[in-house]
Amino acid sequence: MVVKDSLRYLRNIGIMAHIDAGKTTTTERILYYTGRSHRMGEVHDGNAVMDWMEQEQERGITITSAATTCQWKDHTINIIDTPGHVDFTVEVERCLRVLDGAIAIFCAVGGVEPQSETVWRQADHYKIPRIAYINKMDRLGANFYRCVEMLEERLGANPLPLQLPVGKEETFRGIIDLVEEKMMRFDEDTKGSRVEYEPVPEEFKQESTAARMALIEKLADFDDWVMEKFLNEQPVSVDDINRAIRTATLNLDVVPVLCGSSFKNKGVQPLLDAVIAYLPSPVDVPSVQGVNADGVMETRRASEDENLSALVFKLTSDPFVDILAYVRVYSGVMKVGDRVYNPGKKKKEKIGRIVKMHANKREEVGELKAGEIGAVVGLRFSITGDSLCESGDTFTLDTMDFPEPVISVAIEPKGKADEEKLKESLAKIALEDPSFSVTIDPDSGQTLISGMGELHLEIIVDRLIREFKVGANIGKPQVAYKESVTSLGKAEGKFEHPTTAGKSQYGHVWLQIEPLERGEGFQFESCIADDVIPPAIVPAIERAVHDSLDAGTLIGFPIVDLKVSLVDGSYRDDDSTEQAFGVAAAMAFRKAVSEASPVLLEPVMDVEITLPESYLGEVISDLTAKRAKILGMENRIGGLQAVKAQVPLAEMFGYSTVLRSATQGRANFTMQFAAYDRVPDHMSAKIIKRIRGL
């Protein structure tokens, strides 16, 4: 097949959803039908092409996002299959940052589930046009119309059904295309490869006609030509409908909704057609914006004629080439052998090799053009979120924000031989994963690894043992607490120290501290006249205070949500220095924090539990004992109840085992970080005592 080179024939899309909605199965079918794979990989058999890590194959879940490229009807489609588990949300975040469109997959039984909401909000943040695909229409309890309602109610989307299912559950046998007014059957003898088109069955005609009218009526709100035809009761052509759907989708006015059963090989080819018809090419999205070294905003079109602009959105360790850097080229061309510039690091980089990825396999290419995604070998300084541009240029794209880890475990090498290996391996993983960090406890000297949840850290430890061949012992999970203040505090810091030259260093400040609302972070303000302390010294004071936030006065956790004001001090022309004022500010800050009623904060998680109603009382009783705040309950299909609650992370360790035991394995739950909140005083005293080792 000859693939056209024009950017208009390129699609960069992600596949996103809640865990177990069928993302990887759908991707496997796409690869099969586009000829990229010659067999259908299955998640439950552990042979899915895109789930290539041992840990993914064993658990049947996607852990790391995998990229691949395929061709469909003269178009090139770059696909990134993203994880669904909340512990790996950062993988979704950094992939969405570089994609032009997305397929959001929903289970026809579960509908909009918690992680579906999370990834949908991420796509909203990056203004990504998307298609909704309601999968698993063959499953018991499947309900297409309920899923469409949930898209509207829970996600605030404007769903636009383009298809109707023919039958449901075990009777699901085909799909009605409302645009073409035809029914599609997927031949089982050819694993769904042959699609047969038939007239809409009589028993579905009334429903189909009404749904098509609703489709045109909704499109009339966004397209004047369709509006005119609709008001004049004239037929609207298929081409007009498709054009209106594409425009409304690209403008984020509607979300086309399709359905199918990827596992049963039904509905995947129409999904590919919709990707081409309705999702954007690189030239359909706004020109990328960035700033130069002077802070002036610049834009770059998706064109090979523009200067190079690219973003490193992911790093992975590779046993053959050390580090692979995934990049999206927004403008210009990146060629093997080029010297490019990283304006954030102020370093030049050489492009050693360029590869196109197919899961964990690589295909060498000579260049990446505007709009393309690939991986680069040879970058020495660039990390996730860094921009690359031409030498002599300083064009910098918006960077990415990543969540802070909320859970830690202590790790130590098993033997002397593992010490250096552990250190190097942890550094490699931290380079790959921005939501993972490694710190040394200043009191115990222990190495602590921190991440987004128990599964996240479990996978990392598993990788250390299997992939990096490191022997390590792991401690019990620990909560990443923080500290804050609850009242005003004011303190003086004076530093006067003689030097060998006979002079002294002198710094003197008064700081006032006050609490801020949760999540507001840190603010600094100078309230003194220029003749008290010169303005040139104030940044040094602010830096010292900022550095002091890393360790609180209670048990050394970071301090957050407070405002620090410089309210007084004194200055000597002869012997005042920035260093002296920095020491004085650090002294005043710690004293003021101690006076401002410091408190301990803990991460609180949003938890949703789905369970049979008969176990509701026992589960809610257990949640209450875990200091949970019950937010609400709702009925689900099949006599199930969904309980929403906020629970301190400290109470949730090992909860999966507890829940399985309490419900005979019939319940499941999802958990994600919500906010930091104050630890009750009686609990705080116990935690402080335990951590101090008293």
Side-chain angles (χ1 to χ4, degrees), residues 623-694:
L623 284 174
T624 305
K626 295 181 183 299
R627 300 188 281 132
K629 186 191 295 179
I630 307 296
L631 302 178
M633 289 177 277
E634 63 179 53
N635 294 318
R636 293 283 172 88
I637 287 174
L640 296 178
Q641 289 280 335
V643 179
K644 293 188 177 183
Q646 287 193 332
V647 194
L649 175 62
E651 305 285 354
M652 292 299 291
F653 292 140
Y655 186 63
S656 56
T657 305
V658 172
L659 187 64
R660 272 199 302 270
S661 173
T663 62
Q664 298 180 359
R666 295 176 64 195
N668 58 67
F669 79 102
T670 60
M671 180 173 75
Q672 58 188 315
F673 174 71
Y676 271 86
D677 203 0
R678 181 173 174 175
V679 179
D681 291 342
H682 69 283
M683 301 276 307
S684 180
K686 288 180 185 175
I687 293 166
I688 292 169
K689 201 170 180 180
R690 174 171 54 80
I691 292 178
R692 285 179 177 170
L694 299 175

Side-chain angles (χ1 to χ4, degrees), residues 67-78:
T68 190
T69 302
C70 58
Q71 274 76 45
W72 183 252
K73 296 186 176 176
D74 285 359
H75 287 68
T76 297
I77 306 175
N78 290 322

